[in-house]
Amino acid sequence: MNKERFKYHLKQQTILIILLALIGILALVSPSFRDPRNFVNIIRKVNIIGIISCGLTFPLVSGGLDLSVGSVFSLVGALALMWQPKGLFIAIVIPLIIACAIGIFNGFVINKFNVSPIIVTLGMLSVVQGIVLVVTEGRNQLGDLDHPYSSIAKSNLLGINNQIVFFIVITIILGMLLSRTTFGRYNYLVGSNSEAADIAGVRINRIRLLAYVISALCAGIAAIISTSRIATARPYAGQGFEFEAITAVLIGGNSIGGGKGSIYNTILGVFIIIILINGMILLSLPYATQIVVKGSLLILAVFIDFRIRQRKFVV
Amino acid sequence: MTKRKFLNIINKQRILIAIIILVIYLGLSSENFVSYGNTVNILMQISINGIIAISMTILLLQGEIDLSVGYNMSLVGTVIILLQGYGLGLAVVCGMLTGILVGVINGLIVTKLKLDSLPVTLGMMVVLNGMVLWLTKTKTIRGTVDSFLFLGNETFYSVPYPVMIFIIILLIFILIIRRTLFGRNIYAIGGNKIASRFFGINVDRTRFISFVITGFLVSISGVILASRLNIASPNLGKDTPLFVITAILLGGTSLWGGKGGLVSTFQGILLFGIISNGLRLTQVPVTWHLLIKGFLLILIVSIDGYYVKRAKFR
């Protein structure tokens, strides 16, 4: 491998290098970071935000954005625990179908009325949060720890905890879907130039709609895994998840303008965010600092994304 | 008057008609609605969001947006409540400077780094939330100086001060938008940014000034809010962007820039205020309010988008 190519590959993997550097520094500075139990902690957090972020990658790649994932997370979690006595099937499948319906509604309004996805999903964020409040009457939903529902996250498959199995399986499926199927490739087409894609015969409306369905469905799955572990659903459980997920997706190097990104990038971004927050907690920085850092990271990510796009146009 | 002309008028004044119908309906169904007290109450409730809506309209007319207004207002209020002990004047000045500074930073990032205002202000919103949490230590803090309360709670010839401030600012900005070069430039930029640049309009300066105006007006509403509630809390201002944007779109200002104005914004915010008031008077449970308001936003942007799309295909 010559020098030029090495440099090129190095540039491609900037995010990975940053992640490894972050892990290295934290491992040096904080003894509790090196603790295996902390590793489990990180995986647990990555698992929830990771699944949401991977779903969110689809609308982002196709040129949109979904702010309603946090509320969908709250809704599915609350409904699943409410319907738990009615049986495993109803508790899992019906809430997920409702999540899909929310995704379809998002996609439908965005397609049909040509409205900015951010505004629609911002409205949807309050609508779904409102539904949660109406359904739960603002109370926490408690599940039964002995119910088979609770074993979804707790049992093991081949000695590996189910949460990790779910995370790996879902990311592989979504990664394949985005990079190896026609639907996935069309996402990039729609995101980079929807008019050209339309003229080329891509059904852009269907692609966009499916992207929102995937994002809502993933938020729902994350909610089921989460509520199965802790058997509690707060009505505001998912509040702020949308920002964490968007920041993770952007930090990973996906573009907010659409047409660029991958599940691999998203996962790197998720790890960076979660490990950074975990490190700040271990170094006992106050909660407020964490939020300020999160917000600043989002602005930074938007800035980096812009610079990359700008350079592309110049060259 | 021909039928067509009549329909045209109805179409143009649909917000006003909606307000009239709603007022008649609420007046008939709730005996408390038509009273001087309730009217002042509605105006009082819309005045804080209304002041923010004025600045947001100026941004939306240029195709920009600021999602950080809610937490900016909350931050201004927090600074004032925390600094009250060192003198009221100092506290208010510091609070307002903070709000304006946020506007300046937003403006600089958007114009100098040439970033989209939506993600930038989304990030700013999270940053400001963090700062409020940091300043209040995630607790609700009560103000200690009682003389500060007059601004938010007392009346001038039975008109509350916030309402008066809102009306005065509204009138000033209607004049600015309609009669000054700055106002003209705003519409030009919203209509076509590139063309306005070629016509010699300093697009970046106009946008920057608009963000600073936003910071200024937001800090005024922050002062009023702090004076009215006399508390600083990390939960204040959470839903402000949603309400303000919904109200503005309700009034008929377009998200895409160049269409609308402050009079329509006033109509929109009034209609939104009447809806909120009506929800409370007709005893719709509080849990439903968020749902209804969010759905309203989606409905309105859909109608707005539908008209834009239809106009394009004609």
Side-chain angles (χ1 to χ4, degrees), chain A residues 109 111-115 118-119 124 126-127 131 134 243 288 291 295-296 306, chain B residues 113-115 122 126-127 130 133-134 242 255 291 294-295 301-302 305 309:
Chain A
V109 173
N111 283 332
K112 189 79 186 170
F113 303 111
N114 221 1
V115 198
I118 300 182
I119 302 295
M124 211 52 195
S126 350
V127 169
I131 295 175
V134 169
F243 294 112
I291 295 197
S296 314
F306 168 76
Chain B
L113 301 181
K114 302 194 191 314
L115 298 180
L122 195 71
V126 183
V127 171
L133 282 169
W134 172 55
L242 175 82
L255 265 181
L291 176 71
F295 189 71
V301 287
S302 304
K309 209 172 176 182

PDB file of all heavy atoms in Angstrom, chain A residues 109 111-115 118-119 124 126-127 131 134 243 288 291 295-296 306, chain B residues 113-115 122 126-127 130 133-134 242 255 291 294-295 301-302 305 309:
ATOM      1  N   VAL A 109     -47.836  12.498   5.306  1.00  0.00           N
ATOM      2  CA  VAL A 109     -47.991  13.961   5.343  1.00  0.00           C
ATOM      3  C   VAL A 109     -46.838  14.626   4.603  1.00  0.00           C
ATOM      4  O   VAL A 109     -47.034  15.564   3.829  1.00  0.00           O
ATOM      5  CB  VAL A 109     -48.062  14.459   6.806  1.00  0.00           C
ATOM      6  CG1 VAL A 109     -48.048  15.970   6.856  1.00  0.00           C
ATOM      7  CG2 VAL A 109     -49.304  13.930   7.466  1.00  0.00           C
ATOM      8  N   ASN A 111     -44.961  13.432   2.188  1.00  0.00           N
ATOM      9  CA  ASN A 111     -45.067  13.221   0.739  1.00  0.00           C
ATOM     10  C   ASN A 111     -46.206  14.015   0.132  1.00  0.00           C
ATOM     11  O   ASN A 111     -46.048  14.704  -0.855  1.00  0.00           O
ATOM     12  CB  ASN A 111     -45.328  11.740   0.444  1.00  0.00           C
ATOM     13  CG  ASN A 111     -44.074  10.930   0.574  1.00  0.00           C
ATOM     14  OD1 ASN A 111     -42.982  11.458   0.368  1.00  0.00           O
ATOM     15  ND2 ASN A 111     -44.221   9.685   0.924  1.00  0.00           N
ATOM     16  N   LYS A 112     -47.366  13.872   0.758  1.00  0.00           N
ATOM     17  CA  LYS A 112     -48.590  14.373   0.152  1.00  0.00           C
ATOM     18  C   LYS A 112     -48.594  15.905   0.120  1.00  0.00           C
ATOM     19  O   LYS A 112     -49.010  16.498  -0.857  1.00  0.00           O
ATOM     20  CB  LYS A 112     -49.777  13.854   0.971  1.00  0.00           C
ATOM     21  CG  LYS A 112     -51.110  14.111   0.365  1.00  0.00           C
ATOM     22  CD  LYS A 112     -51.403  13.116  -0.727  1.00  0.00           C
ATOM     23  CE  LYS A 112     -52.691  13.477  -1.447  1.00  0.00           C
ATOM     24  NZ  LYS A 112     -52.856  12.658  -2.654  1.00  0.00           N
ATOM     25  N   PHE A 113     -48.152  16.524   1.217  1.00  0.00           N
ATOM     26  CA  PHE A 113     -48.294  17.970   1.307  1.00  0.00           C
ATOM     27  C   PHE A 113     -46.971  18.688   1.154  1.00  0.00           C
ATOM     28  O   PHE A 113     -46.901  19.906   1.290  1.00  0.00           O
ATOM     29  CB  PHE A 113     -48.966  18.357   2.619  1.00  0.00           C
ATOM     30  CG  PHE A 113     -50.290  17.702   2.800  1.00  0.00           C
ATOM     31  CD1 PHE A 113     -50.485  16.735   3.757  1.00  0.00           C
ATOM     32  CD2 PHE A 113     -51.341  18.049   1.979  1.00  0.00           C
ATOM     33  CE1 PHE A 113     -51.708  16.126   3.905  1.00  0.00           C
ATOM     34  CE2 PHE A 113     -52.564  17.446   2.125  1.00  0.00           C
ATOM     35  CZ  PHE A 113     -52.753  16.477   3.090  1.00  0.00           C
ATOM     36  N   ASN A 114     -45.900  17.917   0.890  1.00  0.00           N
ATOM     37  CA  ASN A 114     -44.636  18.563   0.573  1.00  0.00           C
ATOM     38  C   ASN A 114     -44.164  19.463   1.705  1.00  0.00           C
ATOM     39  O   ASN A 114     -43.722  20.579   1.476  1.00  0.00           O
ATOM     40  CB  ASN A 114     -44.829  19.411  -0.693  1.00  0.00           C
ATOM     41  CG  ASN A 114     -43.633  19.265  -1.584  1.00  0.00           C
ATOM     42  OD1 ASN A 114     -42.702  18.529  -1.241  1.00  0.00           O
ATOM     43  ND2 ASN A 114     -43.634  19.942  -2.697  1.00  0.00           N
ATOM     44  N   VAL A 115     -44.293  19.007   2.917  1.00  0.00           N
ATOM     45  CA  VAL A 115     -43.965  19.834   4.065  1.00  0.00           C
ATOM     46  C   VAL A 115     -42.596  19.442   4.600  1.00  0.00           C
ATOM     47  O   VAL A 115     -42.171  18.298   4.442  1.00  0.00           O
ATOM     48  CB  VAL A 115     -44.995  19.641   5.192  1.00  0.00           C
ATOM     49  CG1 VAL A 115     -44.919  20.780   6.158  1.00  0.00           C
ATOM     50  CG2 VAL A 115     -46.374  19.515   4.632  1.00  0.00           C
ATOM     51  N   ILE A 118     -38.953  18.206   9.281  1.00  0.00           N
ATOM     52  CA  ILE A 118     -38.655  18.601  10.654  1.00  0.00           C
ATOM     53  C   ILE A 118     -39.904  19.130  11.339  1.00  0.00           C
ATOM     54  O   ILE A 118     -40.191  18.784  12.484  1.00  0.00           O
ATOM     55  CB  ILE A 118     -37.531  19.640  10.680  1.00  0.00           C
ATOM     56  CG1 ILE A 118     -36.291  19.018  10.052  1.00  0.00           C
ATOM     57  CG2 ILE A 118     -37.232  20.101  12.078  1.00  0.00           C
ATOM     58  CD1 ILE A 118     -35.106  19.874  10.045  1.00  0.00           C
ATOM     59  N   ILE A 119     -40.673  19.949  10.609  1.00  0.00           N
ATOM     60  CA  ILE A 119     -41.858  20.541  11.226  1.00  0.00           C
ATOM     61  C   ILE A 119     -42.920  19.466  11.474  1.00  0.00           C
ATOM     62  O   ILE A 119     -43.526  19.404  12.545  1.00  0.00           O
ATOM     63  CB  ILE A 119     -42.425  21.664  10.329  1.00  0.00           C
ATOM     64  CG1 ILE A 119     -41.377  22.740  10.094  1.00  0.00           C
ATOM     65  CG2 ILE A 119     -43.660  22.261  10.937  1.00  0.00           C
ATOM     66  CD1 ILE A 119     -40.972  23.484  11.309  1.00  0.00           C
ATOM     67  N   MET A 124     -45.518  15.878  15.315  1.00  0.00           N
ATOM     68  CA  MET A 124     -45.797  14.488  15.678  1.00  0.00           C
ATOM     69  C   MET A 124     -45.214  14.180  17.052  1.00  0.00           C
ATOM     70  O   MET A 124     -45.788  13.395  17.809  1.00  0.00           O
ATOM     71  CB  MET A 124     -45.177  13.583  14.621  1.00  0.00           C
ATOM     72  CG  MET A 124     -45.924  12.314  14.397  1.00  0.00           C
ATOM     73  SD  MET A 124     -47.658  12.600  14.095  1.00  0.00           S
ATOM     74  CE  MET A 124     -48.253  10.973  14.325  1.00  0.00           C
ATOM     75  N   SER A 126     -45.161  16.112  19.616  1.00  0.00           N
ATOM     76  CA  SER A 126     -46.131  16.473  20.655  1.00  0.00           C
ATOM     77  C   SER A 126     -47.381  15.641  20.557  1.00  0.00           C
ATOM     78  O   SER A 126     -47.975  15.319  21.583  1.00  0.00           O
ATOM     79  CB  SER A 126     -46.520  17.941  20.608  1.00  0.00           C
ATOM     80  OG  SER A 126     -45.748  18.650  19.771  1.00  0.00           O
ATOM     81  N   VAL A 127     -47.804  15.317  19.330  1.00  0.00           N
ATOM     82  CA  VAL A 127     -49.028  14.506  19.219  1.00  0.00           C
ATOM     83  C   VAL A 127     -48.825  13.182  19.936  1.00  0.00           C
ATOM     84  O   VAL A 127     -49.647  12.779  20.767  1.00  0.00           O
ATOM     85  CB  VAL A 127     -49.381  14.261  17.738  1.00  0.00           C
ATOM     86  CG1 VAL A 127     -50.475  13.220  17.623  1.00  0.00           C
ATOM     87  CG2 VAL A 127     -49.837  15.542  17.086  1.00  0.00           C
ATOM     88  N   ILE A 131     -50.585  11.604  23.117  1.00  0.00           N
ATOM     89  CA  ILE A 131     -51.279  10.309  23.180  1.00  0.00           C
ATOM     90  C   ILE A 131     -50.803   9.530  24.407  1.00  0.00           C
ATOM     91  O   ILE A 131     -51.607   8.944  25.136  1.00  0.00           O
ATOM     92  CB  ILE A 131     -51.028   9.493  21.897  1.00  0.00           C
ATOM     93  CG1 ILE A 131     -51.657  10.201  20.699  1.00  0.00           C
ATOM     94  CG2 ILE A 131     -51.615   8.088  22.018  1.00  0.00           C
ATOM     95  CD1 ILE A 131     -51.363   9.541  19.380  1.00  0.00           C
ATOM     96  N   VAL A 134     -52.473  10.884  27.395  1.00  0.00           N
ATOM     97  CA  VAL A 134     -53.891  10.534  27.437  1.00  0.00           C
ATOM     98  C   VAL A 134     -54.061   9.078  27.845  1.00  0.00           C
ATOM     99  O   VAL A 134     -54.871   8.742  28.713  1.00  0.00           O
ATOM    100  CB  VAL A 134     -54.545  10.790  26.061  1.00  0.00           C
ATOM    101  CG1 VAL A 134     -55.931  10.184  26.010  1.00  0.00           C
ATOM    102  CG2 VAL A 134     -54.614  12.275  25.779  1.00  0.00           C
ATOM    103  N   PHE A 243     -32.717  13.869  20.191  1.00  0.00           N
ATOM    104  CA  PHE A 243     -31.500  14.677  20.058  1.00  0.00           C
ATOM    105  C   PHE A 243     -30.263  13.808  20.174  1.00  0.00           C
ATOM    106  O   PHE A 243     -29.305  13.963  19.424  1.00  0.00           O
ATOM    107  CB  PHE A 243     -31.472  15.779  21.107  1.00  0.00           C
ATOM    108  CG  PHE A 243     -32.545  16.788  20.896  1.00  0.00           C
ATOM    109  CD1 PHE A 243     -33.588  16.904  21.786  1.00  0.00           C
ATOM    110  CD2 PHE A 243     -32.528  17.591  19.777  1.00  0.00           C
ATOM    111  CE1 PHE A 243     -34.601  17.808  21.564  1.00  0.00           C
ATOM    112  CE2 PHE A 243     -33.534  18.496  19.545  1.00  0.00           C
ATOM    113  CZ  PHE A 243     -34.572  18.604  20.454  1.00  0.00           C
ATOM    114  N   ALA A 288     -25.700  18.922  34.039  1.00  0.00           N
ATOM    115  CA  ALA A 288     -25.883  20.046  33.126  1.00  0.00           C
ATOM    116  C   ALA A 288     -24.736  20.126  32.126  1.00  0.00           C
ATOM    117  O   ALA A 288     -24.945  20.399  30.943  1.00  0.00           O
ATOM    118  CB  ALA A 288     -25.999  21.342  33.910  1.00  0.00           C
ATOM    119  N   ILE A 291     -25.271  17.914  29.227  1.00  0.00           N
ATOM    120  CA  ILE A 291     -26.219  18.396  28.228  1.00  0.00           C
ATOM    121  C   ILE A 291     -25.585  19.467  27.364  1.00  0.00           C
ATOM    122  O   ILE A 291     -25.746  19.482  26.143  1.00  0.00           O
ATOM    123  CB  ILE A 291     -27.503  18.904  28.909  1.00  0.00           C
ATOM    124  CG1 ILE A 291     -28.178  17.725  29.585  1.00  0.00           C
ATOM    125  CG2 ILE A 291     -28.425  19.533  27.903  1.00  0.00           C
ATOM    126  CD1 ILE A 291     -29.589  17.945  29.929  1.00  0.00           C
ATOM    127  N   GLY A 295     -25.194  19.314  23.298  1.00  0.00           N
ATOM    128  CA  GLY A 295     -25.663  20.331  22.358  1.00  0.00           C
ATOM    129  C   GLY A 295     -24.540  20.870  21.510  1.00  0.00           C
ATOM    130  O   GLY A 295     -24.671  21.028  20.295  1.00  0.00           O
ATOM    131  N   SER A 296     -23.382  21.125  22.164  1.00  0.00           N
ATOM    132  CA  SER A 296     -22.245  21.649  21.426  1.00  0.00           C
ATOM    133  C   SER A 296     -21.786  20.634  20.384  1.00  0.00           C
ATOM    134  O   SER A 296     -21.405  20.999  19.271  1.00  0.00           O
ATOM    135  CB  SER A 296     -21.090  21.966  22.366  1.00  0.00           C
ATOM    136  OG  SER A 296     -21.562  22.666  23.476  1.00  0.00           O
ATOM    137  N   PHE A 306     -21.122  20.309   7.220  1.00  0.00           N
ATOM    138  CA  PHE A 306     -21.183  21.367   6.220  1.00  0.00           C
ATOM    139  C   PHE A 306     -19.849  21.529   5.507  1.00  0.00           C
ATOM    140  O   PHE A 306     -19.774  21.673   4.295  1.00  0.00           O
ATOM    141  CB  PHE A 306     -21.586  22.682   6.887  1.00  0.00           C
ATOM    142  CG  PHE A 306     -21.391  23.860   5.994  1.00  0.00           C
ATOM    143  CD1 PHE A 306     -22.277  24.104   4.961  1.00  0.00           C
ATOM    144  CD2 PHE A 306     -20.309  24.697   6.159  1.00  0.00           C
ATOM    145  CE1 PHE A 306     -22.093  25.169   4.125  1.00  0.00           C
ATOM    146  CE2 PHE A 306     -20.123  25.764   5.321  1.00  0.00           C
ATOM    147  CZ  PHE A 306     -21.007  26.006   4.301  1.00  0.00           C
TER     148      PHE A 306
ATOM    149  N   LEU B 113     -20.545  31.077   9.364  1.00  0.00           N
ATOM    150  CA  LEU B 113     -20.176  29.699   9.041  1.00  0.00           C
ATOM    151  C   LEU B 113     -21.083  29.133   7.951  1.00  0.00           C
ATOM    152  O   LEU B 113     -20.914  28.016   7.505  1.00  0.00           O
ATOM    153  CB  LEU B 113     -20.250  28.813  10.292  1.00  0.00           C
ATOM    154  CG  LEU B 113     -19.364  29.239  11.458  1.00  0.00           C
ATOM    155  CD1 LEU B 113     -19.523  28.276  12.621  1.00  0.00           C
ATOM    156  CD2 LEU B 113     -17.916  29.287  11.038  1.00  0.00           C
ATOM    157  N   LYS B 114     -22.083  29.935   7.562  1.00  0.00           N
ATOM    158  CA  LYS B 114     -23.006  29.551   6.485  1.00  0.00           C
ATOM    159  C   LYS B 114     -23.662  28.198   6.743  1.00  0.00           C
ATOM    160  O   LYS B 114     -23.662  27.310   5.905  1.00  0.00           O
ATOM    161  CB  LYS B 114     -22.286  29.538   5.143  1.00  0.00           C
ATOM    162  CG  LYS B 114     -21.671  30.881   4.802  1.00  0.00           C
ATOM    163  CD  LYS B 114     -21.267  30.966   3.373  1.00  0.00           C
ATOM    164  CE  LYS B 114     -20.433  32.196   3.117  1.00  0.00           C
ATOM    165  NZ  LYS B 114     -21.000  33.420   3.719  1.00  0.00           N
ATOM    166  N   LEU B 115     -24.214  28.043   7.940  1.00  0.00           N
ATOM    167  CA  LEU B 115     -24.906  26.802   8.265  1.00  0.00           C
ATOM    168  C   LEU B 115     -26.411  27.026   8.219  1.00  0.00           C
ATOM    169  O   LEU B 115     -26.894  28.150   8.313  1.00  0.00           O
ATOM    170  CB  LEU B 115     -24.512  26.320   9.666  1.00  0.00           C
ATOM    171  CG  LEU B 115     -23.042  25.985   9.872  1.00  0.00           C
ATOM    172  CD1 LEU B 115     -22.808  25.537  11.297  1.00  0.00           C
ATOM    173  CD2 LEU B 115     -22.610  24.909   8.915  1.00  0.00           C
ATOM    174  N   LEU B 122     -31.325  24.100  16.751  1.00  0.00           N
ATOM    175  CA  LEU B 122     -31.685  22.876  17.472  1.00  0.00           C
ATOM    176  C   LEU B 122     -30.591  22.531  18.472  1.00  0.00           C
ATOM    177  O   LEU B 122     -30.849  22.223  19.644  1.00  0.00           O
ATOM    178  CB  LEU B 122     -31.860  21.735  16.472  1.00  0.00           C
ATOM    179  CG  LEU B 122     -32.561  20.469  16.920  1.00  0.00           C
ATOM    180  CD1 LEU B 122     -34.030  20.730  17.103  1.00  0.00           C
ATOM    181  CD2 LEU B 122     -32.367  19.373  15.889  1.00  0.00           C
ATOM    182  N   VAL B 126     -30.445  22.700  22.841  1.00  0.00           N
ATOM    183  CA  VAL B 126     -29.945  21.720  23.805  1.00  0.00           C
ATOM    184  C   VAL B 126     -28.893  22.370  24.712  1.00  0.00           C
ATOM    185  O   VAL B 126     -28.884  22.161  25.933  1.00  0.00           O
ATOM    186  CB  VAL B 126     -29.368  20.490  23.073  1.00  0.00           C
ATOM    187  CG1 VAL B 126     -28.909  19.455  24.072  1.00  0.00           C
ATOM    188  CG2 VAL B 126     -30.399  19.895  22.146  1.00  0.00           C
ATOM    189  N   VAL B 127     -28.014  23.198  24.121  1.00  0.00           N
ATOM    190  CA  VAL B 127     -26.973  23.873  24.917  1.00  0.00           C
ATOM    191  C   VAL B 127     -27.616  24.749  25.990  1.00  0.00           C
ATOM    192  O   VAL B 127     -27.241  24.697  27.171  1.00  0.00           O
ATOM    193  CB  VAL B 127     -26.075  24.740  24.008  1.00  0.00           C
ATOM    194  CG1 VAL B 127     -25.150  25.595  24.846  1.00  0.00           C
ATOM    195  CG2 VAL B 127     -25.265  23.856  23.081  1.00  0.00           C
ATOM    196  N   GLY B 130     -29.103  22.918  28.805  1.00  0.00           N
ATOM    197  CA  GLY B 130     -28.057  22.503  29.728  1.00  0.00           C
ATOM    198  C   GLY B 130     -27.639  23.636  30.644  1.00  0.00           C
ATOM    199  O   GLY B 130     -27.422  23.442  31.846  1.00  0.00           O
ATOM    200  N   LEU B 133     -30.234  24.173  33.279  1.00  0.00           N
ATOM    201  CA  LEU B 133     -30.129  23.099  34.274  1.00  0.00           C
ATOM    202  C   LEU B 133     -28.954  23.341  35.203  1.00  0.00           C
ATOM    203  O   LEU B 133     -29.023  23.112  36.410  1.00  0.00           O
ATOM    204  CB  LEU B 133     -29.955  21.754  33.568  1.00  0.00           C
ATOM    205  CG  LEU B 133     -31.205  21.136  32.971  1.00  0.00           C
ATOM    206  CD1 LEU B 133     -30.848  19.966  32.092  1.00  0.00           C
ATOM    207  CD2 LEU B 133     -32.139  20.705  34.068  1.00  0.00           C
ATOM    208  N   TRP B 134     -27.851  23.840  34.622  1.00  0.00           N
ATOM    209  CA  TRP B 134     -26.648  24.082  35.402  1.00  0.00           C
ATOM    210  C   TRP B 134     -26.874  25.220  36.396  1.00  0.00           C
ATOM    211  O   TRP B 134     -26.537  25.116  37.580  1.00  0.00           O
ATOM    212  CB  TRP B 134     -25.513  24.399  34.432  1.00  0.00           C
ATOM    213  CG  TRP B 134     -24.243  24.850  35.072  1.00  0.00           C
ATOM    214  CD1 TRP B 134     -23.544  24.193  36.039  1.00  0.00           C
ATOM    215  CD2 TRP B 134     -23.529  26.054  34.796  1.00  0.00           C
ATOM    216  NE1 TRP B 134     -22.434  24.909  36.361  1.00  0.00           N
ATOM    217  CE2 TRP B 134     -22.394  26.052  35.635  1.00  0.00           C
ATOM    218  CE3 TRP B 134     -23.744  27.116  33.912  1.00  0.00           C
ATOM    219  CZ2 TRP B 134     -21.471  27.100  35.612  1.00  0.00           C
ATOM    220  CZ3 TRP B 134     -22.821  28.139  33.888  1.00  0.00           C
ATOM    221  CH2 TRP B 134     -21.701  28.128  34.741  1.00  0.00           C
ATOM    222  N   LEU B 242     -42.793  25.196  19.655  1.00  0.00           N
ATOM    223  CA  LEU B 242     -43.950  24.525  19.041  1.00  0.00           C
ATOM    224  C   LEU B 242     -45.139  25.469  18.969  1.00  0.00           C
ATOM    225  O   LEU B 242     -45.753  25.658  17.925  1.00  0.00           O
ATOM    226  CB  LEU B 242     -44.315  23.283  19.853  1.00  0.00           C
ATOM    227  CG  LEU B 242     -45.570  22.568  19.378  1.00  0.00           C
ATOM    228  CD1 LEU B 242     -45.253  21.666  18.215  1.00  0.00           C
ATOM    229  CD2 LEU B 242     -46.216  21.791  20.495  1.00  0.00           C
ATOM    230  N   LEU B 255     -43.806  28.788   5.732  1.00  0.00           N
ATOM    231  CA  LEU B 255     -42.500  28.310   6.197  1.00  0.00           C
ATOM    232  C   LEU B 255     -41.415  28.594   5.174  1.00  0.00           C
ATOM    233  O   LEU B 255     -40.243  28.534   5.478  1.00  0.00           O
ATOM    234  CB  LEU B 255     -42.558  26.800   6.403  1.00  0.00           C
ATOM    235  CG  LEU B 255     -42.835  26.231   7.760  1.00  0.00           C
ATOM    236  CD1 LEU B 255     -42.802  24.735   7.665  1.00  0.00           C
ATOM    237  CD2 LEU B 255     -41.802  26.711   8.750  1.00  0.00           C
ATOM    238  N   LEU B 291     -51.704  16.975  22.726  1.00  0.00           N
ATOM    239  CA  LEU B 291     -52.115  16.202  21.555  1.00  0.00           C
ATOM    240  C   LEU B 291     -52.815  17.096  20.545  1.00  0.00           C
ATOM    241  O   LEU B 291     -52.490  17.105  19.356  1.00  0.00           O
ATOM    242  CB  LEU B 291     -53.034  15.073  22.028  1.00  0.00           C
ATOM    243  CG  LEU B 291     -53.665  14.189  20.972  1.00  0.00           C
ATOM    244  CD1 LEU B 291     -52.633  13.300  20.354  1.00  0.00           C
ATOM    245  CD2 LEU B 291     -54.752  13.342  21.589  1.00  0.00           C
ATOM    246  N   GLY B 294     -50.377  19.754  18.979  1.00  0.00           N
ATOM    247  CA  GLY B 294     -49.453  19.159  18.020  1.00  0.00           C
ATOM    248  C   GLY B 294     -50.153  18.792  16.727  1.00  0.00           C
ATOM    249  O   GLY B 294     -49.642  19.028  15.633  1.00  0.00           O
ATOM    250  N   PHE B 295     -51.358  18.233  16.874  1.00  0.00           N
ATOM    251  CA  PHE B 295     -52.117  17.844  15.686  1.00  0.00           C
ATOM    252  C   PHE B 295     -52.471  19.068  14.854  1.00  0.00           C
ATOM    253  O   PHE B 295     -52.428  19.036  13.628  1.00  0.00           O
ATOM    254  CB  PHE B 295     -53.378  17.095  16.087  1.00  0.00           C
ATOM    255  CG  PHE B 295     -54.094  16.494  14.923  1.00  0.00           C
ATOM    256  CD1 PHE B 295     -53.553  15.414  14.261  1.00  0.00           C
ATOM    257  CD2 PHE B 295     -55.277  17.037  14.467  1.00  0.00           C
ATOM    258  CE1 PHE B 295     -54.188  14.876  13.162  1.00  0.00           C
ATOM    259  CE2 PHE B 295     -55.917  16.497  13.376  1.00  0.00           C
ATOM    260  CZ  PHE B 295     -55.374  15.414  12.720  1.00  0.00           C
ATOM    261  N   VAL B 301     -49.611  22.902   8.681  1.00  0.00           N
ATOM    262  CA  VAL B 301     -48.519  22.832   7.699  1.00  0.00           C
ATOM    263  C   VAL B 301     -48.962  22.021   6.487  1.00  0.00           C
ATOM    264  O   VAL B 301     -48.524  22.293   5.370  1.00  0.00           O
ATOM    265  CB  VAL B 301     -47.212  22.257   8.279  1.00  0.00           C
ATOM    266  CG1 VAL B 301     -46.558  23.241   9.192  1.00  0.00           C
ATOM    267  CG2 VAL B 301     -47.401  20.933   8.926  1.00  0.00           C
ATOM    268  N   SER B 302     -49.851  21.040   6.702  1.00  0.00           N
ATOM    269  CA  SER B 302     -50.348  20.277   5.564  1.00  0.00           C
ATOM    270  C   SER B 302     -51.145  21.181   4.632  1.00  0.00           C
ATOM    271  O   SER B 302     -50.969  21.143   3.414  1.00  0.00           O
ATOM    272  CB  SER B 302     -51.229  19.127   6.031  1.00  0.00           C
ATOM    273  OG  SER B 302     -50.537  18.320   6.931  1.00  0.00           O
ATOM    274  N   GLY B 305     -48.761  23.457   2.886  1.00  0.00           N
ATOM    275  CA  GLY B 305     -48.046  22.732   1.845  1.00  0.00           C
ATOM    276  C   GLY B 305     -48.928  22.443   0.654  1.00  0.00           C
ATOM    277  O   GLY B 305     -48.503  22.521  -0.496  1.00  0.00           O
ATOM    278  N   LYS B 309     -48.179  23.565  -3.148  1.00  0.00           N
ATOM    279  CA  LYS B 309     -48.063  22.552  -4.197  1.00  0.00           C
ATOM    280  C   LYS B 309     -49.030  22.868  -5.336  1.00  0.00           C
ATOM    281  O   LYS B 309     -48.683  22.779  -6.507  1.00  0.00           O
ATOM    282  CB  LYS B 309     -48.390  21.188  -3.588  1.00  0.00           C
ATOM    283  CG  LYS B 309     -47.699  20.033  -4.269  1.00  0.00           C
ATOM    284  CD  LYS B 309     -47.949  18.772  -3.464  1.00  0.00           C
ATOM    285  CE  LYS B 309     -47.351  17.568  -4.151  1.00  0.00           C
ATOM    286  NZ  LYS B 309     -47.636  16.346  -3.416  1.00  0.00           N
TER     287      LYS B 309
END
